Amino acid sequence: MEGVMNSAIIISILATGIRLATPYLLAALGEMFTQRSGVYNLGVEGIMMMGAFAGFFATLHSGSPLMGIVASLLIGALMGLLMALVSVTFKAEQGISGIGLYMLGWGLSGLLYRLYVGGITSIDGLKTIKIPLLSDIPFLGPIIFDQNVLVYTALVLVPLSGFILFKTSWGLNVRAVGNKPEAADTLGVSVERIRYQCLILGGMLAGLAGAFLTIGQANMYADNITAGRGFIAIALVYFGRWSPWGILLGSLLFSMADSFQSMVQVLGINFPYELAVILPYVVTIIALAISFGRVWAPAALGKPFQRGTRG
Amino acid sequence: MNSQFRGVLKQIVVLLAALVGALLIGAVFLLLAKSDPIKAYGVMFAGPVSDKFGLTETLVRAVPLLLVGLGIVISFRSGIINIGAEGQILAGAIGAAYVGNSFPDMPAILLLPLVFMAGAMSGAVWGGIAGWLKARLAVNEILSTVMLNQIALQLYLFLIRGPLIDPQEVSYGTGVPQTALIPEQIWLSRLIPGTRLHSGLIFALVVAVLVYVFLWRTSTGYRMRAVGAGPEAARYAGINVQWYLVLAMALAGGMAGLAGVVEVTGVHHRALEGISAGYGFSGIVAALFGRLHPLGTIPASILFGALLLGADMMQRAVNIPAAMVMVIQGLVVLFVVSSDYFLKNPSSVANLKVKLFGKKVNGEGGK
Amino acid sequence: MKRVLALILAALTLLAFTGCGTNTNKSAETTPATKVEKVRIALVLPATVDDLAWGQSMVEGLKVVQKTMGADKVEIATSEKLGSAVDAGAAIRQYATQGYDIILAHGSQYQSVLMDIAKDFPKTTFAYGSGFATAPNIFAYDPQAQDGGYLLGILAAMTTKSGIVGIIGPVESGDAVKYNYGVQQGVAKGKADVKSRIAYTGSFNDIVGAGNLAKTQMSAGADILTGSSQQAVGAMRAVAETKGNYWLSTDMDQSSIAPDHVLAAQVYRWEKVVTKIIDLRKQGTLGGQHLILSLADGTIELKYNDKLADKIPAEAKAAVEQAKADIISGKLKVELPKK
């Protein structure tokens, strides 16, 4: 254990933490809108896999990660649309629809990869962009301002989604539809349309989160690349109590714990790695358990809307 | 009685229609994969039912699906969503293997019940944690079960590669993560020689009936369903909602734990890597297929077991990538869950016809 | 109407999306057996045929066998993604029923399943690995991953400039442990003051996690890294992003993905193992042997990347070759963890 926790190491832990937080942040912010409108989409993992594949595939063939981003947004929107069709129009049980979407996304991404790529192939993904001046700030600069464009996007989306949700009339409609769909309906807000919009938006962000894994981190694609990250993102929405800042806090806490445990292992501090690997999960549960109180949730969450009936 | 029969018939027709819809979309992907959909589906449907091998393998999968599904029925009926069955299966498997190997000389008549108890308790504790977190600390069960799945997986891997590893794996230096074989006297008997179909099937069927009796014929079951129907009303009626939430999750976890036990005692005879095999998720689907009814879950589990096996056989028969199995499963789930709409809204089928064909078609919904 | 339209639209768009690109279906043929003297081999894989690791190394080996013996003499069928032993069991039994001569269950988790099935098919040869337990018609194969790991460890220790060698582990078990243990001992032998650091992701196939762990290793000073299992390519790809950092691969040569970063590889020559099984079967031995893959019989090879030959100091190469000779002659035995 040589010079263990010097500042370079701490900067590395924190910068890695922010990088690791990005897919959670993107997917969870999308899921926040979805749930705020009263639908929980457990299929985030499947959408992420499709986004990861689409981002990879488009980048591979165009040579431009930008095309990868566009493709992942498109495929995410399509998957969101499918979820909306099933859970809003056909009023299906949302938890199960989500699991169906997850299976479909997993299978389809694997199938398409085998049919149209086949074999491990590497791509040139997003490059890190040093933001002039800001990246020179001591300590904070290398942590926050030396990342790739999707990391910045995710960070900017936090205040932006807060603004959209709480300061715009569309955001007001979303919250109304999620809390009191009957009342919103009476006031002429189309519950179905808002839910469709939120599911598509959530799908796009989940697609983007998936693309971050392939074109922003791994620079390649492999089966089951999301490895459960979509489910963690859903959990983080609950953790963050459906607020962008709460989700940011949760994502950072989870990812920092992950980044920290990696460094602890690497530095050879004697600690069983299984315990280290489960640390982020345990921290999340404990943090939620001790924050006590009734957790606020959209009142109509999980309930399909049927005009003329209650709930 | 007649109308009840009609209702069941209608449900079956709608479920079958959903299945056909899913397969039609699946056929598009099969064509993309350059294989003949008719041949592929032929294998998928004929494979599981055409011989002894297919039938028994279908039932081998149906056993854990049914047990997990029964747990899902209990929890969903009590208004709590259990996504943690994967972790609970692992808890049950490791509990069974540990206790089984701790008393190698005990006669089966004592050891077998002990092993089943141990597995059920392990699963119940793992599920109960999520129930307790929800009841006492208002931690959402979706969040906690997702997290607990990951934690269970790591602990399970730690145990089967560390303290509980087969000593032979260490002495030979191969270090494969699995426990030693459990004593032979508690291997569940094989119902048909030369196949893997084991007596766990009978056990699971009995449990299904017991769960039905429990939920619909006991006051505890009644209260649990009351909590599921409306916690506010249940609380107003003096029911201790918190307690029943914990109980529901513990029972659901116990059922999943039993699925782990039968996989250990009936199929693998040890705890090894990948034993949960996705049953934790497929079981949810089976329960839903069975309309969240313990007895409905029986045929649903068999159907789903056949689907899992048939789709897997397809991989070998027509040379399509294994991922296709998952595609078909996903489509089936989406279609079946959407078909609920047509069952709940008798007018919807007529409306759909109007939308599709542009004119009013006279006929009964669901046909 | 709108909703039906939406459904059709969704289906069409998916179609359009998947319609572009070319088909690269390259699965084995399953033409019915026509002539005599044809060996039918079935392969069952826990992961995928193209994982650039354990699974693919066996697939490549079988291709070599088929090429050497003639495509009309060897028939190969493959089933992949059978991580669950239940599904693998069904596949194995199905292949056995269909009369395949040799069934390779290419995963350590298949041992129990084989023991169960092999009894019912006494004329079929089964093989699995890694493992030790055999039966009259079951071979167990067992790569001495620690030997190649030891050589790569020496190479790493004498090549590193930072003095730190990083190991990315999946789960601490089986072949991964043997390999890592070998690397650690090799590093210690290679140069006294070089450190090896090991960290596990807790998963076999999380390539993103492995990539991140590699980045953490590098930011903490490692400049030569290695690791095993399906997820290792993720770590290798992360290493390939920094000039001057290198990767040592195992199971198969992974330099096709990162030609400027893979220094050397421990390669399993499965074709030799499979050929041996075929020969034994011809002689009437259907199983019962614990087949060890080792440097001595050439079933394990150390392969250098010619493109980076100048990056490896001459004395490092000499030390590696010396150790290799010592292992082959039996003078040196790489120890395994004693629990």
Side-chain angles (χ1 to χ4, degrees), chain C residues 195-234:
Chain C
K195 289 187 176 60
S196 58
R197 288 169 164 174
I198 189 162
Y200 290 89
T201 61
S203 160
F204 289 103
N205 49 22
D206 184 2
I207 65 163
V208 176
N212 282 320
L213 202 49
K215 285 175 193 162
T216 301
Q217 284 271 25
M218 290 186 283
S219 70
D223 65 346
I224 296 187
L225 290 92
T226 187
S228 58
S229 89
Q230 288 83 36
Q231 66 168 8
V233 287

Side-chain angles (χ1 to χ4, degrees), chain A residues 40 42 234-235 238, chain B residues 81 83 139-147:
Chain A
Y40 59 88
L42 287 189
I234 296 168
Y238 287 87
Chain B
I81 298 170
I83 308 185
V139 176
N140 181 282
E141 75 274 17
I142 297 179
L143 177 140
S144 60
T145 48
V146 164
M147 298 280 168

Side-chain angles (χ1 to χ4, degrees), chain C:
Chain C
M1 196 64 226
K2 228 165 63 187
R3 280 151 211 163
V4 181
L5 219 67
L7 176 67
I8 296 167
L9 200 71
L12 282 182
T13 322
L14 268 181
L15 258 179
F17 180 78
T18 54
C20 54
T22 51
N23 194 333
T24 52
N25 200 351
K26 51 178 182 349
S27 323
E29 306 296 298
T30 45
T31 41
T34 43
K35 292 214 174 74
V36 281
E37 283 300 305
K38 186 172 187 176
V39 187
R40 301 178 72 207
I41 303 176
L43 174 63
V44 172
L45 292 174
T48 59
V49 294
D50 51 10
D51 61 2
L52 212 61
W54 180 253
Q56 191 174 347
S57 70
M58 178 57 100
V59 171
E60 304 286 341
L62 284 174
K63 279 185 192 157
V64 174
V65 171
Q66 200 173 31
K67 212 173 164 189
T68 322
M69 293 180 62
D72 54 329
K73 293 273 172 20
V74 182
E75 176 191 329
I76 296 165
T78 309
S79 282
E80 57 173 352
K81 284 200 194 178
L82 295 169
S84 131
V86 171
D87 291 339
I92 292 165
R93 197 177 272 276
Q94 213 186 353
Y95 280 133
T97 313
Q98 290 167 2
Y100 280 86
D101 303 305
I102 298 171
I103 296 170
L104 302 170
H106 197 45
S108 54
Q109 66 267 57
Y110 299 151
Q111 181 201 327
S112 287
V113 166
L114 278 194
M115 294 292 168
D116 205 17
I117 297 171
K119 290 189 293 249
D120 300 331
F121 299 92
K123 289 193 176 135
T124 309
T125 293
F126 298 88
Y128 79 100
S130 300
F132 62 89
T134 63
N137 58 339
I138 299 179
F139 290 107
Y141 46 78
D142 184 12
Q144 300 300 297
Q146 71 277 17
D147 290 356
Y150 184 81
L151 302 183
L152 292 175
I154 294 178
L155 181 71
M158 297 178 76
T159 308
T160 171
K161 294 193 171 65
S162 68
I164 298 168
V165 177
I167 304 171
I168 313 294
V171 172
E172 197 176 354
S173 68
D175 285 331
V177 172
K178 284 155 77 177
Y179 177 72
N180 295 346
Y181 207 69
V183 173
Q184 284 175 310
Q185 290 176 77
V187 169
K189 175 78 171 45
K191 215 171 202 176
D193 56 345
V194 172
K195 289 187 176 60
S196 58
R197 288 169 164 174
I198 189 162
Y200 290 89
T201 61
S203 160
F204 289 103
N205 49 22
D206 184 2
I207 65 163
V208 176
N212 282 320
L213 202 49
K215 285 175 193 162
T216 301
Q217 284 271 25
M218 290 186 283
S219 70
D223 65 346
I224 296 187
L225 290 92
T226 187
S228 58
S229 89
Q230 288 83 36
Q231 66 168 8
V233 287
M236 178 184 66
R237 185 61 184 82
V239 170
E241 266 158 55
T242 318
K243 204 164 179 287
N245 282 6
Y246 297 107
W247 176 259
L248 303 167
S249 68
T250 181
D251 291 18
M252 67 181 286
D253 182 11
Q254 297 166 331
S255 61
S256 59
I257 300 295
D260 297 322
H261 295 271
V262 177
L263 276 181
Q266 163 170 248
V267 179
Y268 296 156
R269 301 290 299 271
W270 291 113
E271 62 272 19
K272 295 190 179 177
V273 182
V274 175
T275 309
K276 189 171 179 185
I277 291 175
I278 293 174
D279 289 343
L280 283 168
R281 184 180 161 82
K282 273 184 189 151
Q283 293 156 21
T285 310
L286 297 190
Q289 293 190 15
H290 180 194
L291 305 172
I292 287 172
L293 279 75
S294 68
L295 290 163
D297 65 0
T299 42
I300 291 182
E301 268 182 12
L302 188 68
K303 194 165 169 241
Y304 297 99
N305 182 355
D306 296 334
K307 200 176 170 192
L308 299 177
D310 59 322
K311 305 290 180 204
I312 304 171
E315 71 264 25
K317 211 162 176 174
V320 169
E321 290 305 319
Q322 183 58 48
K324 188 171 149 190
D326 288 348
I327 291 175
I328 290 173
S329 71
K331 214 167 104 186
L332 175 71
K333 189 159 169 27
V334 184
E335 294 298 322
L336 281 177
K338 286 275 176 279
K339 186 67 181 239

Side-chain angles (χ1 to χ4, degrees), chain B residues 195-219:
Chain B
T195 74
R196 292 196 284 185
L197 183 59
H198 53 83
S199 52
L201 176 68
I202 298 162
F203 173 77
L205 292 174
V206 171
V207 173
V209 175
L210 290 179
V211 168
Y212 170 73
V213 171
F214 171 73
L215 279 178
W216 271 274
R217 296 283 184 269
T218 69
S219 61

